[in-house]
Amino acid sequence: MEDQSPLSADELLDIVDEQDRVIGQARRGEVYAAGLRHRCAFVLARDDEDRVFVHRRTARKLVFPSLYDMFVGAAALREAQEELGVPGLPAPVPLFKFLYETAEHSWWSSVYEVRCPSEVAPQTEEVAWYAFLTEEELGRRLTEWAWVPDGFEAYRRVLDWRTAGAAGDS
């Protein structure tokens, strides 16, 4: 019988305080069960046509299973390469950090962007469906599909960050 336990539950994560200083370590399953603050990386992958890689997570994901996401990553470059199935990606470009907190979850979120080829081969254990969408297509889907809440918040912040950067350029 195929193992249906959540993915990545045994991965070791850094536990951090309010200022993002490491104060300990614990396994991912324990971190989420206890609601411990940790670090998370969000990598926005774009192809050469500037389309965004969007995917639906598998039902076996430990957190937010079967929801749509426009980010890949956990350990930034390694995880982006694994999830996209594209070795040799350039280093993701750091954009900004923010603290994501809800009643159930708390993590320091580092947001990155990377360019990747349109030909990807995502891990079937992690990705149930995927496509590259234009910003306009993605904007329409934001109200139609069920999104991971932290990714939705990170994407909203990316749009705000871009708008603020564009305003600063004038």
Side-chain angles (χ1 to χ4, degrees):
M1 183 168 169
E2 186 178 325
D3 180 15
Q4 293 300 311
S5 60
L7 295 169
S8 305
D10 289 332
E11 182 180 0
L12 201 58
L13 300 179
D14 286 336
I15 309 305
V16 297
D17 66 12
E18 303 82 26
Q19 283 77 44
D20 194 24
R21 295 179 299 226
V22 176
I23 57 173
Q25 288 188 322
R27 304 235 175 259
R28 182 181 296 275
E30 298 167 35
V31 167
Y32 286 112
L36 301 174
R37 184 178 295 116
H38 60 285
R39 290 179 175 154
C40 185
F42 294 85
V43 181
L44 189 67
R46 293 179 180 275
D47 68 5
D48 292 334
E49 296 176 40
D50 212 32
R51 298 176 302 173
V52 176
F53 177 80
V54 175
H55 65 283
R56 188 169 52 81
R57 298 160 63 93
T58 61
R60 288 188 56 212
K61 294 294 276 186
L62 181 63
V63 178
F64 311 133
S66 301
L67 296 181
Y68 287 89
D69 199 354
M70 65 286 284
F71 291 95
V72 297
L77 183 58
R78 176 187 55 81
E79 196 71 17
Q81 290 179 136
E82 287 176 6
E83 285 187 39
L84 291 168
V86 179
L89 286 177
V93 175
L95 302 181
F96 57 86
K97 286 174 60 172
F98 72 97
L99 178 62
Y100 177 78
E101 283 194 297
T102 68
E104 302 86 23
H105 304 291
S106 178
W107 45 78
W108 272 101
S109 308
S110 295
V111 181
Y112 300 84
E113 190 169 70
V114 70
R115 290 284 172 183
C116 71
S118 300
E119 298 292 323
V120 296
Q123 290 179 308
T124 57
E125 303 84 26
E126 306 253 349
V127 176
W129 170 92
Y130 70 92
F132 281 92
L133 303 180
T134 65
E135 292 278 352
E136 294 77 26
E137 291 169 322
L138 178 52
R140 285 194 301 274
R141 301 295 187 242
L142 291 177
T143 58
E144 297 173 1
W145 294 349
W147 296 89
V148 297
D150 60 338
F152 188 89
E153 175 63 16
Y155 188 68
R156 184 191 66 74
R157 289 176 182 249
V158 165
L159 296 176
D160 289 348
W161 180 80
R162 286 217 167 88
T163 301
D169 291 340
S170 9

